[in-house]
Amino acid sequence: MSIVCREWRLDRLLSGLATHTLDLVIADAPRHNSVSVKAFSHHLGGSAIGVFAAPSLQGRRGARAAARRGREAGT
């Protein structure tokens, strides 16, 4: 068995699910009604998550996430 994790916009991930290039999507939001992919959405629960890193890594993840959000927004 192989597990590959991808992080992308939910509509793109659901599109991959519809075309059978992905087998499972775990998301932090339910499927929007505007997405035309036929899929089931089940709430799995919730928990607080802590992220810890060495001071030298501080901000690196946030900078990449901000750049990705800019690309997704078309800026």
Side-chain angles (χ1 to χ4, degrees):
M1 175 166 66
S2 175
I3 297 175
V4 177
C5 296
R6 295 187 179 137
E7 186 176 342
W8 198 245
R9 293 186 349 218
L10 183 56
D11 61 330
R12 297 269 177 109
L13 292 170
L14 290 174
S15 178
L17 192 63
T19 59
H20 303 282
T21 56
L22 297 176
D23 296 316
L24 174 70
V25 172
I26 299 175
D28 61 351
R31 179 185 62 85
H32 295 270
N33 291 334
S34 62
V35 177
S36 62
V37 173
K38 188 174 186 178
F40 295 101
S41 180
H42 300 284
H43 180 73
L44 299 177
S47 67
I49 297 175
V51 178
F52 305 91
S56 61
L57 298 175
Q58 182 179 1
R60 290 173 64 187
R61 171 77 172 127
R64 284 195 308 254
R68 186 177 57 249
R69 282 192 300 271
R71 285 192 307 272
E72 290 174 1
T75 59

Short mmCIF file of all heavy atoms in Angstrom, two decimals:
data_model
loop_
_atom_site.label_atom_id
_atom_site.label_comp_id
_atom_site.label_asym_id
_atom_site.label_seq_id
_atom_site.Cartn_x
_atom_site.Cartn_y
_atom_site.Cartn_z
N MET A 1 0.84 -1.16 0.00
CA MET A 1 0.00 0.00 0.00
C MET A 1 0.90 1.23 0.00
O MET A 1 1.93 1.27 0.64
CB MET A 1 -0.91 0.00 1.23
CG MET A 1 -1.72 1.26 1.31
SD MET A 1 -3.11 1.25 2.45
CE MET A 1 -2.35 1.12 4.01
N SER A 2 0.46 2.25 -0.70
CA SER A 2 1.19 3.52 -0.76
C SER A 2 0.23 4.64 -0.41
O SER A 2 -0.91 4.68 -0.87
CB SER A 2 1.72 3.72 -2.18
OG SER A 2 2.33 4.97 -2.30
N ILE A 3 0.71 5.57 0.41
CA ILE A 3 -0.10 6.74 0.78
C ILE A 3 0.64 7.97 0.30
O ILE A 3 1.80 8.18 0.61
CB ILE A 3 -0.31 6.82 2.31
CG1 ILE A 3 -1.10 5.60 2.78
CG2 ILE A 3 -1.02 8.11 2.68
CD1 ILE A 3 -1.25 5.52 4.28
N VAL A 4 -0.06 8.77 -0.49
CA VAL A 4 0.48 10.03 -1.00
C VAL A 4 -0.42 11.15 -0.51
O VAL A 4 -1.63 11.10 -0.70
CB VAL A 4 0.54 10.03 -2.54
CG1 VAL A 4 1.04 11.36 -3.06
CG2 VAL A 4 1.40 8.88 -3.05
N CYS A 5 0.15 12.15 0.11
CA CYS A 5 -0.62 13.28 0.62
C CYS A 5 -0.45 14.46 -0.32
O CYS A 5 0.67 14.80 -0.70
CB CYS A 5 -0.15 13.68 2.02
SG CYS A 5 -0.44 12.39 3.23
N ARG A 6 -1.57 15.09 -0.68
CA ARG A 6 -1.54 16.27 -1.53
C ARG A 6 -2.35 17.36 -0.86
O ARG A 6 -3.40 17.11 -0.28
CB ARG A 6 -2.16 15.97 -2.90
CG ARG A 6 -1.36 14.96 -3.67
CD ARG A 6 -1.90 14.81 -5.06
NE ARG A 6 -1.07 13.85 -5.76
CZ ARG A 6 -1.56 12.91 -6.53
NH1 ARG A 6 -2.85 12.80 -6.71
NH2 ARG A 6 -0.74 12.07 -7.14
N GLU A 7 -1.88 18.57 -0.99
CA GLU A 7 -2.58 19.73 -0.43
C GLU A 7 -2.94 20.64 -1.59
O GLU A 7 -2.07 21.06 -2.35
CB GLU A 7 -1.66 20.45 0.56
CG GLU A 7 -2.33 21.57 1.28
CD GLU A 7 -1.39 22.19 2.31
OE1 GLU A 7 -0.40 21.57 2.69
OE2 GLU A 7 -1.70 23.33 2.71
N TRP A 8 -4.23 20.91 -1.76
CA TRP A 8 -4.68 21.73 -2.87
C TRP A 8 -6.08 22.22 -2.55
O TRP A 8 -6.65 21.91 -1.52
CB TRP A 8 -4.64 20.92 -4.15
CG TRP A 8 -4.66 21.77 -5.39
CD1 TRP A 8 -5.65 21.80 -6.33
CD2 TRP A 8 -3.67 22.70 -5.84
NE1 TRP A 8 -5.33 22.67 -7.31
CE2 TRP A 8 -4.12 23.26 -7.04
CE3 TRP A 8 -2.47 23.13 -5.32
CZ2 TRP A 8 -3.40 24.20 -7.73
CZ3 TRP A 8 -1.75 24.07 -6.01
CH2 TRP A 8 -2.22 24.59 -7.22
N ARG A 9 -6.65 22.97 -3.47
CA ARG A 9 -8.03 23.46 -3.28
C ARG A 9 -8.99 22.27 -3.29
O ARG A 9 -8.80 21.30 -4.02
CB ARG A 9 -8.39 24.42 -4.41
CG ARG A 9 -7.62 25.70 -4.37
CD ARG A 9 -8.07 26.70 -5.40
NE ARG A 9 -8.98 26.22 -6.40
CZ ARG A 9 -8.95 26.58 -7.68
NH1 ARG A 9 -8.05 27.42 -8.11
NH2 ARG A 9 -9.83 26.12 -8.53
N LEU A 10 -10.03 22.37 -2.49
CA LEU A 10 -10.97 21.27 -2.34
C LEU A 10 -11.62 20.90 -3.67
O LEU A 10 -11.79 19.72 -3.97
CB LEU A 10 -12.03 21.61 -1.29
CG LEU A 10 -13.05 20.52 -0.98
CD1 LEU A 10 -12.37 19.22 -0.56
CD2 LEU A 10 -14.02 20.99 0.09
N ASP A 11 -11.99 21.89 -4.49
CA ASP A 11 -12.63 21.56 -5.77
C ASP A 11 -11.70 20.76 -6.67
O ASP A 11 -12.13 19.85 -7.37
CB ASP A 11 -13.14 22.82 -6.48
CG ASP A 11 -12.05 23.81 -6.81
OD1 ASP A 11 -11.04 23.88 -6.08
OD2 ASP A 11 -12.19 24.53 -7.82
N ARG A 12 -10.41 21.06 -6.64
CA ARG A 12 -9.43 20.30 -7.44
C ARG A 12 -9.28 18.87 -6.91
O ARG A 12 -9.17 17.92 -7.68
CB ARG A 12 -8.08 21.00 -7.43
CG ARG A 12 -8.09 22.36 -8.06
CD ARG A 12 -7.76 22.26 -9.54
NE ARG A 12 -7.82 23.55 -10.17
CZ ARG A 12 -6.77 24.23 -10.59
NH1 ARG A 12 -5.57 23.73 -10.46
NH2 ARG A 12 -6.92 25.39 -11.17
N LEU A 13 -9.24 18.73 -5.59
CA LEU A 13 -9.13 17.40 -5.01
C LEU A 13 -10.36 16.55 -5.33
O LEU A 13 -10.25 15.38 -5.68
CB LEU A 13 -8.93 17.50 -3.50
CG LEU A 13 -7.59 18.09 -3.05
CD1 LEU A 13 -7.62 18.36 -1.55
CD2 LEU A 13 -6.45 17.19 -3.42
N LEU A 14 -11.54 17.15 -5.24
CA LEU A 14 -12.77 16.42 -5.56
C LEU A 14 -12.83 16.06 -7.04
O LEU A 14 -13.34 15.00 -7.41
CB LEU A 14 -13.99 17.23 -5.14
CG LEU A 14 -14.19 17.36 -3.63
CD1 LEU A 14 -15.33 18.31 -3.33
CD2 LEU A 14 -14.39 16.01 -2.98
N SER A 15 -12.27 16.90 -7.88
CA SER A 15 -12.18 16.59 -9.30
C SER A 15 -11.31 15.35 -9.51
O SER A 15 -11.64 14.48 -10.32
CB SER A 15 -11.62 17.78 -10.07
OG SER A 15 -11.50 17.48 -11.43
N GLY A 16 -10.21 15.27 -8.79
CA GLY A 16 -9.35 14.09 -8.86
C GLY A 16 -10.07 12.85 -8.36
O GLY A 16 -9.87 11.75 -8.88
N LEU A 17 -10.92 13.01 -7.38
CA LEU A 17 -11.73 11.89 -6.88
C LEU A 17 -12.71 11.42 -7.96
O LEU A 17 -12.86 10.22 -8.18
CB LEU A 17 -12.48 12.35 -5.62
CG LEU A 17 -13.16 11.30 -4.78
CD1 LEU A 17 -12.15 10.33 -4.19
CD2 LEU A 17 -13.95 11.98 -3.67
N ALA A 18 -13.31 12.37 -8.65
CA ALA A 18 -14.29 12.03 -9.69
C ALA A 18 -13.64 11.34 -10.89
O ALA A 18 -14.25 10.49 -11.53
CB ALA A 18 -15.00 13.29 -10.16
N THR A 19 -12.39 11.69 -11.19
CA THR A 19 -11.70 11.08 -12.34
C THR A 19 -10.89 9.86 -11.93
O THR A 19 -10.15 9.31 -12.73
CB THR A 19 -10.76 12.10 -13.01
OG1 THR A 19 -9.80 12.55 -12.05
CG2 THR A 19 -11.54 13.26 -13.58
N HIS A 20 -11.03 9.44 -10.69
CA HIS A 20 -10.37 8.25 -10.14
C HIS A 20 -8.86 8.35 -10.10
O HIS A 20 -8.16 7.34 -10.09
CB HIS A 20 -10.79 6.99 -10.91
CG HIS A 20 -12.27 6.78 -10.92
ND1 HIS A 20 -12.96 6.28 -9.85
CD2 HIS A 20 -13.20 7.05 -11.87
CE1 HIS A 20 -14.24 6.23 -10.14
NE2 HIS A 20 -14.42 6.70 -11.36
N THR A 21 -8.32 9.57 -10.07
CA THR A 21 -6.89 9.74 -9.85
C THR A 21 -6.58 9.82 -8.37
O THR A 21 -5.43 9.66 -7.97
CB THR A 21 -6.35 11.00 -10.57
OG1 THR A 21 -7.08 12.13 -10.14
CG2 THR A 21 -6.47 10.87 -12.07
N LEU A 22 -7.60 10.04 -7.54
CA LEU A 22 -7.49 10.00 -6.08
C LEU A 22 -8.52 9.02 -5.56
O LEU A 22 -9.61 8.88 -6.12
CB LEU A 22 -7.75 11.38 -5.47
CG LEU A 22 -6.79 12.50 -5.84
CD1 LEU A 22 -7.26 13.82 -5.22
CD2 LEU A 22 -5.38 12.18 -5.37
N ASP A 23 -8.18 8.34 -4.47
CA ASP A 23 -9.11 7.38 -3.87
C ASP A 23 -9.84 7.95 -2.66
O ASP A 23 -10.90 7.46 -2.29
CB ASP A 23 -8.35 6.13 -3.42
CG ASP A 23 -7.74 5.38 -4.59
OD1 ASP A 23 -8.44 5.22 -5.61
OD2 ASP A 23 -6.57 4.98 -4.49
N LEU A 24 -9.27 8.97 -2.04
CA LEU A 24 -9.84 9.50 -0.81
C LEU A 24 -9.43 10.96 -0.66
O LEU A 24 -8.30 11.32 -0.98
CB LEU A 24 -9.31 8.71 0.40
CG LEU A 24 -9.67 9.19 1.79
CD1 LEU A 24 -11.16 8.95 2.06
CD2 LEU A 24 -8.82 8.47 2.83
N VAL A 25 -10.36 11.78 -0.19
CA VAL A 25 -10.06 13.18 0.12
C VAL A 25 -10.48 13.41 1.56
O VAL A 25 -11.61 13.13 1.94
CB VAL A 25 -10.81 14.15 -0.82
CG1 VAL A 25 -10.65 15.58 -0.34
CG2 VAL A 25 -10.33 14.00 -2.25
N ILE A 26 -9.54 13.90 2.36
CA ILE A 26 -9.83 14.31 3.73
C ILE A 26 -9.65 15.81 3.77
O ILE A 26 -8.58 16.31 3.45
CB ILE A 26 -8.89 13.62 4.74
CG1 ILE A 26 -9.09 12.11 4.67
CG2 ILE A 26 -9.16 14.13 6.15
CD1 ILE A 26 -8.12 11.33 5.53
N ALA A 27 -10.71 16.52 4.11
CA ALA A 27 -10.68 17.99 4.05
C ALA A 27 -11.17 18.58 5.36
O ALA A 27 -11.84 17.91 6.15
CB ALA A 27 -11.56 18.47 2.90
N ASP A 28 -10.84 19.85 5.57
CA ASP A 28 -11.28 20.54 6.78
C ASP A 28 -12.58 21.29 6.58
O ASP A 28 -13.00 22.06 7.42
CB ASP A 28 -10.19 21.48 7.28
CG ASP A 28 -9.84 22.57 6.27
OD1 ASP A 28 -10.32 22.49 5.13
OD2 ASP A 28 -9.09 23.48 6.63
N ALA A 29 -13.23 21.06 5.45
CA ALA A 29 -14.51 21.71 5.15
C ALA A 29 -15.37 20.73 4.35
O ALA A 29 -14.85 19.89 3.63
CB ALA A 29 -14.28 22.98 4.33
N PRO A 30 -16.69 20.83 4.48
CA PRO A 30 -17.56 19.95 3.69
C PRO A 30 -17.57 20.33 2.22
O PRO A 30 -17.14 21.42 1.84
CB PRO A 30 -18.94 20.16 4.32
CG PRO A 30 -18.87 21.51 4.92
CD PRO A 30 -17.44 21.72 5.35
N ARG A 31 -18.05 19.44 1.42
CA ARG A 31 -18.18 19.69 -0.02
C ARG A 31 -19.23 20.78 -0.23
O ARG A 31 -20.31 20.74 0.33
CB ARG A 31 -18.63 18.40 -0.73
CG ARG A 31 -18.82 18.56 -2.22
CD ARG A 31 -19.37 17.28 -2.84
NE ARG A 31 -20.67 16.92 -2.34
CZ ARG A 31 -21.83 17.40 -2.79
NH1 ARG A 31 -21.83 18.26 -3.78
NH2 ARG A 31 -22.97 17.01 -2.28
N HIS A 32 -18.89 21.75 -1.06
CA HIS A 32 -19.84 22.83 -1.37
C HIS A 32 -20.88 22.33 -2.36
O HIS A 32 -20.60 21.49 -3.21
CB HIS A 32 -19.11 24.02 -1.97
CG HIS A 32 -18.16 24.66 -1.01
ND1 HIS A 32 -18.55 25.67 -0.17
CD2 HIS A 32 -16.86 24.44 -0.75
CE1 HIS A 32 -17.53 26.03 0.57
NE2 HIS A 32 -16.48 25.30 0.24
N ASN A 33 -22.09 22.85 -2.25
CA ASN A 33 -23.15 22.45 -3.18
C ASN A 33 -22.84 22.88 -4.61
O ASN A 33 -23.38 22.31 -5.55
CB ASN A 33 -24.49 23.04 -2.74
CG ASN A 33 -24.99 22.40 -1.46
OD1 ASN A 33 -24.65 21.27 -1.16
ND2 ASN A 33 -25.78 23.13 -0.71
N SER A 34 -22.00 23.88 -4.78
CA SER A 34 -21.66 24.35 -6.13
C SER A 34 -20.72 23.39 -6.87
O SER A 34 -20.58 23.48 -8.08
CB SER A 34 -21.01 25.74 -6.06
OG SER A 34 -19.79 25.66 -5.33
N VAL A 35 -20.10 22.46 -6.15
CA VAL A 35 -19.21 21.48 -6.78
C VAL A 35 -20.07 20.36 -7.34
O VAL A 35 -20.87 19.76 -6.64
CB VAL A 35 -18.19 20.93 -5.76
CG1 VAL A 35 -17.32 19.86 -6.39
CG2 VAL A 35 -17.34 22.07 -5.21
N SER A 36 -19.91 20.07 -8.63
CA SER A 36 -20.79 19.11 -9.29
C SER A 36 -20.30 17.67 -9.16
O SER A 36 -20.81 16.78 -9.83
CB SER A 36 -20.94 19.47 -10.77
OG SER A 36 -19.68 19.42 -11.40
N VAL A 37 -19.34 17.41 -8.29
CA VAL A 37 -18.83 16.06 -8.09
C VAL A 37 -19.77 15.32 -7.14
O VAL A 37 -20.15 15.84 -6.10
CB VAL A 37 -17.41 16.11 -7.49
CG1 VAL A 37 -16.93 14.72 -7.12
CG2 VAL A 37 -16.46 16.75 -8.47
N LYS A 38 -20.14 14.11 -7.52
CA LYS A 38 -20.99 13.29 -6.67
C LYS A 38 -20.10 12.63 -5.62
O LYS A 38 -19.27 11.79 -5.93
CB LYS A 38 -21.71 12.23 -7.51
CG LYS A 38 -22.75 11.46 -6.75
CD LYS A 38 -23.51 10.53 -7.68
CE LYS A 38 -24.64 9.87 -6.95
NZ LYS A 38 -25.41 9.00 -7.85
N ALA A 39 -20.25 13.06 -4.37
CA ALA A 39 -19.41 12.55 -3.29
C ALA A 39 -20.17 12.66 -1.97
O ALA A 39 -21.08 13.46 -1.83
CB ALA A 39 -18.12 13.35 -3.21
N PHE A 40 -19.79 11.83 -1.03
CA PHE A 40 -20.37 11.86 0.30
C PHE A 40 -19.46 12.68 1.20
O PHE A 40 -18.24 12.64 1.07
CB PHE A 40 -20.52 10.45 0.87
CG PHE A 40 -21.49 9.61 0.10
CD1 PHE A 40 -21.04 8.68 -0.80
CD2 PHE A 40 -22.86 9.76 0.29
CE1 PHE A 40 -21.92 7.90 -1.53
CE2 PHE A 40 -23.75 8.98 -0.43
CZ PHE A 40 -23.29 8.05 -1.34
N SER A 41 -20.06 13.42 2.11
CA SER A 41 -19.30 14.24 3.04
C SER A 41 -19.73 13.88 4.45
O SER A 41 -20.91 14.01 4.79
CB SER A 41 -19.56 15.72 2.75
OG SER A 41 -18.84 16.53 3.63
N HIS A 42 -18.81 13.38 5.25
CA HIS A 42 -19.11 12.99 6.62
C HIS A 42 -18.18 13.72 7.57
O HIS A 42 -16.97 13.75 7.37
CB HIS A 42 -18.91 11.48 6.81
CG HIS A 42 -19.77 10.65 5.93
ND1 HIS A 42 -21.10 10.46 6.16
CD2 HIS A 42 -19.48 9.97 4.79
CE1 HIS A 42 -21.60 9.68 5.21
NE2 HIS A 42 -20.63 9.37 4.37
N HIS A 43 -18.75 14.31 8.63
CA HIS A 43 -17.95 14.96 9.66
C HIS A 43 -17.27 13.88 10.49
O HIS A 43 -17.93 12.99 11.02
CB HIS A 43 -18.85 15.83 10.54
CG HIS A 43 -18.11 16.54 11.61
ND1 HIS A 43 -17.28 17.62 11.35
CD2 HIS A 43 -18.04 16.32 12.94
CE1 HIS A 43 -16.75 18.03 12.48
NE2 HIS A 43 -17.20 17.27 13.46
N LEU A 44 -15.95 13.92 10.57
CA LEU A 44 -15.19 12.90 11.29
C LEU A 44 -14.88 13.27 12.73
O LEU A 44 -14.39 12.46 13.49
CB LEU A 44 -13.88 12.60 10.55
CG LEU A 44 -14.03 12.08 9.13
CD1 LEU A 44 -12.65 11.90 8.50
CD2 LEU A 44 -14.79 10.77 9.13
N GLY A 45 -15.14 14.49 13.11
CA GLY A 45 -14.84 14.94 14.47
C GLY A 45 -13.92 16.14 14.43
O GLY A 45 -13.57 16.65 13.37
N GLY A 46 -13.52 16.59 15.56
CA GLY A 46 -12.65 17.75 15.62
C GLY A 46 -11.67 17.63 16.76
O GLY A 46 -11.90 16.91 17.72
N SER A 47 -10.58 18.33 16.64
CA SER A 47 -9.58 18.35 17.70
C SER A 47 -8.69 19.57 17.53
O SER A 47 -8.56 20.12 16.45
CB SER A 47 -8.73 17.08 17.67
OG SER A 47 -7.94 17.06 16.51
N ALA A 48 -8.10 19.97 18.62
CA ALA A 48 -7.12 21.05 18.56
C ALA A 48 -5.79 20.43 18.14
O ALA A 48 -5.43 19.35 18.58
CB ALA A 48 -7.00 21.71 19.92
N ILE A 49 -5.08 21.12 17.28
CA ILE A 49 -3.80 20.61 16.79
C ILE A 49 -2.73 21.65 17.09
O ILE A 49 -2.91 22.83 16.83
CB ILE A 49 -3.85 20.35 15.27
CG1 ILE A 49 -4.87 19.27 14.96
CG2 ILE A 49 -2.48 19.98 14.74
CD1 ILE A 49 -5.07 19.03 13.49
N GLY A 50 -1.64 21.20 17.63
CA GLY A 50 -0.50 22.07 17.88
C GLY A 50 0.61 21.75 16.89
O GLY A 50 0.85 20.59 16.58
N VAL A 51 1.24 22.77 16.37
CA VAL A 51 2.35 22.59 15.44
C VAL A 51 3.58 23.20 16.08
O VAL A 51 3.57 24.38 16.45
CB VAL A 51 2.06 23.25 14.08
CG1 VAL A 51 3.24 23.09 13.14
CG2 VAL A 51 0.80 22.66 13.47
N PHE A 52 4.63 22.42 16.19
CA PHE A 52 5.84 22.86 16.87
C PHE A 52 7.03 22.66 15.94
O PHE A 52 7.09 21.69 15.19
CB PHE A 52 6.06 22.06 18.15
CG PHE A 52 4.87 22.12 19.08
CD1 PHE A 52 3.87 21.18 19.00
CD2 PHE A 52 4.75 23.14 20.00
CE1 PHE A 52 2.76 21.23 19.83
CE2 PHE A 52 3.66 23.21 20.83
CZ PHE A 52 2.66 22.26 20.75
N ALA A 53 7.98 23.59 15.98
CA ALA A 53 9.16 23.49 15.14
C ALA A 53 10.31 24.24 15.78
O ALA A 53 10.12 25.05 16.69
CB ALA A 53 8.88 24.06 13.75
N ALA A 54 11.50 23.97 15.27
CA ALA A 54 12.68 24.70 15.72
C ALA A 54 12.55 26.16 15.29
O ALA A 54 11.94 26.46 14.26
CB ALA A 54 13.93 24.09 15.10
N PRO A 55 13.11 27.09 16.05
CA PRO A 55 13.02 28.51 15.70
C PRO A 55 13.52 28.80 14.28
O PRO A 55 13.02 29.69 13.61
CB PRO A 55 13.89 29.20 16.74
CG PRO A 55 13.85 28.29 17.93
CD PRO A 55 13.78 26.90 17.35
N SER A 56 14.47 28.04 13.78
CA SER A 56 15.00 28.28 12.44
C SER A 56 13.96 28.00 11.35
O SER A 56 14.09 28.48 10.23
CB SER A 56 16.23 27.41 12.19
OG SER A 56 15.90 26.04 12.28
N LEU A 57 12.94 27.24 11.66
CA LEU A 57 11.89 26.93 10.68
C LEU A 57 10.69 27.86 10.78
O LEU A 57 9.79 27.81 9.96
CB LEU A 57 11.41 25.48 10.86
CG LEU A 57 12.44 24.40 10.65
CD1 LEU A 57 11.86 23.04 10.98
CD2 LEU A 57 12.95 24.43 9.22
N GLN A 58 10.66 28.70 11.77
CA GLN A 58 9.52 29.58 12.01
C GLN A 58 9.23 30.44 10.78
O GLN A 58 10.12 31.06 10.21
CB GLN A 58 9.77 30.48 13.21
CG GLN A 58 8.61 31.38 13.53
CD GLN A 58 8.89 32.24 14.74
OE1 GLN A 58 9.96 32.18 15.32
NE2 GLN A 58 7.92 33.03 15.12
N GLY A 59 7.99 30.46 10.35
CA GLY A 59 7.57 31.31 9.25
C GLY A 59 7.72 30.69 7.87
O GLY A 59 7.11 31.15 6.93
N ARG A 60 8.51 29.65 7.71
CA ARG A 60 8.72 29.08 6.37
C ARG A 60 7.43 28.51 5.82
O ARG A 60 7.08 28.73 4.68
CB ARG A 60 9.80 28.01 6.41
CG ARG A 60 11.18 28.61 6.66
CD ARG A 60 12.22 27.57 6.87
NE ARG A 60 12.40 26.76 5.67
CZ ARG A 60 13.17 25.69 5.63
NH1 ARG A 60 13.81 25.30 6.71
NH2 ARG A 60 13.30 25.01 4.52
N ARG A 61 6.70 27.77 6.61
CA ARG A 61 5.44 27.18 6.17
C ARG A 61 4.42 28.27 5.86
O ARG A 61 3.72 28.22 4.88
CB ARG A 61 4.91 26.24 7.26
CG ARG A 61 3.52 25.74 7.02
CD ARG A 61 3.52 24.64 5.98
NE ARG A 61 2.20 24.08 5.92
CZ ARG A 61 1.51 23.96 4.80
NH1 ARG A 61 2.02 24.32 3.67
NH2 ARG A 61 0.31 23.46 4.81
N GLY A 62 4.35 29.28 6.70
CA GLY A 62 3.41 30.38 6.49
C GLY A 62 3.69 31.13 5.20
O GLY A 62 2.77 31.52 4.49
N ALA A 63 4.95 31.31 4.87
CA ALA A 63 5.31 32.02 3.63
C ALA A 63 4.90 31.21 2.41
O ALA A 63 4.37 31.75 1.44
CB ALA A 63 6.80 32.31 3.61
N ARG A 64 5.11 29.90 2.45
CA ARG A 64 4.71 29.05 1.31
C ARG A 64 3.20 29.04 1.16
O ARG A 64 2.66 29.10 0.07
CB ARG A 64 5.24 27.63 1.49
CG ARG A 64 6.71 27.49 1.21
CD ARG A 64 7.10 26.04 1.04
NE ARG A 64 6.66 25.21 2.14
CZ ARG A 64 7.44 24.72 3.08
NH1 ARG A 64 8.71 24.99 3.09
NH2 ARG A 64 6.95 23.95 4.04
N ALA A 65 2.47 28.94 2.28
CA ALA A 65 1.01 28.92 2.24
C ALA A 65 0.46 30.24 1.69
O ALA A 65 -0.47 30.25 0.89
CB ALA A 65 0.44 28.65 3.63
N ALA A 66 1.05 31.36 2.08
CA ALA A 66 0.60 32.67 1.58
C ALA A 66 0.86 32.78 0.08
O ALA A 66 0.01 33.28 -0.66
CB ALA A 66 1.32 33.79 2.32
N ALA A 67 2.00 32.28 -0.39
CA ALA A 67 2.30 32.32 -1.83
C ALA A 67 1.32 31.44 -2.60
O ALA A 67 0.84 31.81 -3.67
CB ALA A 67 3.74 31.86 -2.07
N ARG A 68 1.00 30.28 -2.05
CA ARG A 68 0.06 29.36 -2.71
C ARG A 68 -1.33 30.00 -2.78
O ARG A 68 -2.00 29.93 -3.80
CB ARG A 68 0.02 28.04 -1.96
CG ARG A 68 -0.83 27.00 -2.67
CD ARG A 68 -0.83 25.65 -1.97
NE ARG A 68 -1.27 25.75 -0.60
CZ ARG A 68 -0.50 25.59 0.47
NH1 ARG A 68 0.78 25.32 0.34
NH2 ARG A 68 -0.99 25.70 1.69
N ARG A 69 -1.77 30.63 -1.70
CA ARG A 69 -3.08 31.29 -1.71
C ARG A 69 -3.11 32.38 -2.78
O ARG A 69 -4.10 32.56 -3.45
CB ARG A 69 -3.40 31.86 -0.34
CG ARG A 69 -3.86 30.82 0.66
CD ARG A 69 -4.44 31.46 1.90
NE ARG A 69 -3.51 32.30 2.60
CZ ARG A 69 -2.67 31.91 3.55
NH1 ARG A 69 -2.65 30.65 3.90
NH2 ARG A 69 -1.85 32.76 4.14
N GLY A 70 -2.02 33.10 -2.94
CA GLY A 70 -1.94 34.13 -3.98
C GLY A 70 -2.07 33.54 -5.37
O GLY A 70 -2.77 34.07 -6.22
N ARG A 71 -1.41 32.40 -5.61
CA ARG A 71 -1.52 31.74 -6.92
C ARG A 71 -2.94 31.25 -7.17
O ARG A 71 -3.47 31.35 -8.26
CB ARG A 71 -0.54 30.57 -7.00
CG ARG A 71 0.90 30.97 -7.18
CD ARG A 71 1.76 29.78 -7.55
NE ARG A 71 1.63 28.66 -6.66
CZ ARG A 71 2.36 28.46 -5.55
NH1 ARG A 71 3.27 29.34 -5.21
NH2 ARG A 71 2.18 27.39 -4.81
N GLU A 72 -3.57 30.68 -6.15
CA GLU A 72 -4.93 30.17 -6.30
C GLU A 72 -5.92 31.29 -6.57
O GLU A 72 -6.89 31.11 -7.29
CB GLU A 72 -5.34 29.40 -5.04
CG GLU A 72 -4.61 28.08 -4.88
CD GLU A 72 -4.92 27.41 -3.57
OE1 GLU A 72 -5.71 27.93 -2.77
OE2 GLU A 72 -4.35 26.33 -3.33
N ALA A 73 -5.66 32.45 -6.01
CA ALA A 73 -6.55 33.60 -6.21
C ALA A 73 -6.28 34.29 -7.56
O ALA A 73 -7.00 35.18 -7.94
CB ALA A 73 -6.38 34.60 -5.07
N GLY A 74 -5.21 33.87 -8.25
CA GLY A 74 -4.90 34.43 -9.54
C GLY A 74 -4.10 35.71 -9.48
O GLY A 74 -4.04 36.47 -10.43
N THR A 75 -3.45 35.97 -8.33
CA THR A 75 -2.64 37.19 -8.20
C THR A 75 -1.20 36.90 -8.46
O THR A 75 -0.76 35.81 -8.51
CB THR A 75 -2.80 37.81 -6.79
OG1 THR A 75 -2.38 36.85 -5.82
CG2 THR A 75 -4.21 38.24 -6.56
#
